Amino acid sequence: MGDLLSGVLSGLAIGTCVTYPLILWLTRNLRGLPPNRRERRARAELDTFFKGQLP
């Protein structure tokens, strides 16, 4: 019984840690909100990196 309870609790904890950010991301994208500062900076860094890689 203890193993079952610990398995259920760990499954809930892992499910929450995975599902909550996914739901936040989906609601932000479906609403059309602008990306936050960290995401804008990451995209800008990726753009500058890949512009330097193209011939």
Side-chain angles (χ1 to χ4, degrees):
M1 185 71 173
D3 290 339
L4 177 64
L5 182 61
S6 66
V8 167
L9 290 177
S10 66
L12 284 173
I14 292 172
T16 301
C17 291
V18 170
T19 307
Y20 183 68
L22 181 64
I23 289 172
L24 288 178
W25 180 78
L26 281 174
T27 55
R28 178 175 289 278
N29 284 341
L30 291 178
R31 281 209 225 143
L33 295 175
N36 60 19
R37 182 177 35 177
R38 188 182 310 157
E39 188 177 344
R40 284 194 308 262
R41 187 172 64 197
R43 286 184 189 205
E45 289 176 3
L46 284 174
D47 286 345
T48 57
F49 176 76
F50 284 114
K51 282 181 184 175
Q53 296 291 323
L54 295 175

